[in-house]
Amino acid sequence: MCARMAFFNWAAPAFNRLADRWSPESIDDIVGWLRPYVAPHGRIIDVGGGTGALARKLSLALDAEVVVLDPTPEMIRYVPDESRVGAVLGSAEAMPFDDGWADAVLVSDAFHHFRDQPGAAAEFARVVRPGGGVVVLELDPSGPFMRMLAAIERLLGEPGAFFTPEQMCAFFAEHDIDGVCERIKGPSYRFTGTIR
Ligand SMILES: C[S@@+](CC[C@H](N)C(=O)[O-])C[C@H]1O[C@@H](n2cnc3c(N)ncnc32)[C@H](O)[C@@H]1O
């Protein structure tokens, strides 16, 4: 078993207590970024969605189906058992969904954990329908605090593979996903892109 799995295996109960950090305002923001791609009754894959706290709130706010895809059983066991919230064991690099199945992919605080980011981007371009969306919530690694956080993650066996907003936009453009990055607060930013 790789170190990444070991980290989220033992961290899952603590993470579950901290995961529901979503204020009504932050949910409104994420709904606004996803709504252009996801009509009522649409489909979203929350890649690296962990315990499903965000998926649950988004399924209600968007009136949509939200499937959490995550490789850590100890995380997805907390995904709420609700009619339009799903949980699928699997990774971003090999997504068990048909081509064009989703209207959008969401990745919150998980992209820097992916060991094969180009492989994940190729999967997003495959499983999201043409014209669908990719929304990534990430942290800019510039600055001493974020450099320390990345170093701690690497000590814990994680990739700590953070991108600056500029790097994120350039990376996705190389993978047929054109979009924009916008800073949110502190090191947080979002990428919103459209599948060509
Ligand atoms: C910090 S948690 C974020 C959970 C949730 N998205 C949130 O914002 O609260 C990172 C998650 O990424 C998952 N993860 C790690 N590697 C992954 C991969 N290759 N594909 C999909 N998810 C992955 C972990 O299992 C973990 O649940």
Side-chain angles (χ1 to χ4, degrees):
M1 181 178 290
C2 69
R4 168 179 59 72
M5 293 299 287
F7 172 69
F8 282 108
N9 283 351
W10 63 256
F15 200 90
N16 184 48
R17 282 194 289 278
L18 302 171
D20 194 356
R21 59 196 184 279
W22 306 103
S23 67
E25 293 75 25
S26 63
I27 294 296
D28 285 349
D29 285 343
I30 299 169
V31 165
W33 301 327
L34 285 166
R35 182 55 95 199
Y37 304 105
V38 184
H41 310 293
R43 294 167 171 163
I44 300 167
I45 306 170
D46 183 356
V47 185
T51 61
L54 180 57
R56 176 176 179 276
K57 290 190 169 173
L58 289 178
S59 79
L60 294 169
L62 283 157
D63 188 20
E65 177 180 355
V66 185
V67 177
V68 173
L69 175 73
D70 200 287
T72 308
E74 286 79 1
M75 294 290 275
I76 64 169
R77 65 187 277 265
Y78 292 105
V79 173
D81 183 14
E82 293 185 13
S83 62
R84 288 179 306 167
V85 180
V88 173
L89 195 63
S91 73
E93 296 88 343
M95 296 174 65
F97 297 93
D98 290 340
D99 296 2
W101 184 84
D103 296 298
V105 152
L106 169 70
V107 188
S108 162
D109 193 23
F111 190 77
H112 59 273
H113 292 287
F114 300 166
R115 284 166 198 274
D116 176 7
Q117 292 165 322
E123 281 293 80
F124 298 171
R126 183 185 67 77
V127 303
V128 176
R129 64 172 171 77
V134 174
V135 174
V136 181
L137 308 181
E138 259 299 340
L139 298 167
D140 183 345
S142 312
F145 173 76
M146 280 304 303
R147 281 199 289 276
M148 187 178 70
L149 182 67
I152 291 170
E153 288 206 0
R154 289 188 195 111
L155 280 175
L156 290 167
E158 289 296 298
F162 294 94
F163 286 10
T164 66
E166 296 74 23
Q167 290 168 335
M168 186 70 86
C169 279
F171 169 82
F172 275 116
E174 279 173 21
H175 293 88
D176 297 336
I177 304 171
D178 298 312
V180 295
C181 284
E182 181 190 54
R183 291 189 181 277
I184 303 173
K185 187 179 174 193
S188 300
Y189 70 94
R190 57 118 178 168
F191 168 80
T192 305
T194 304
I195 304 291
R196 279 182 207 157

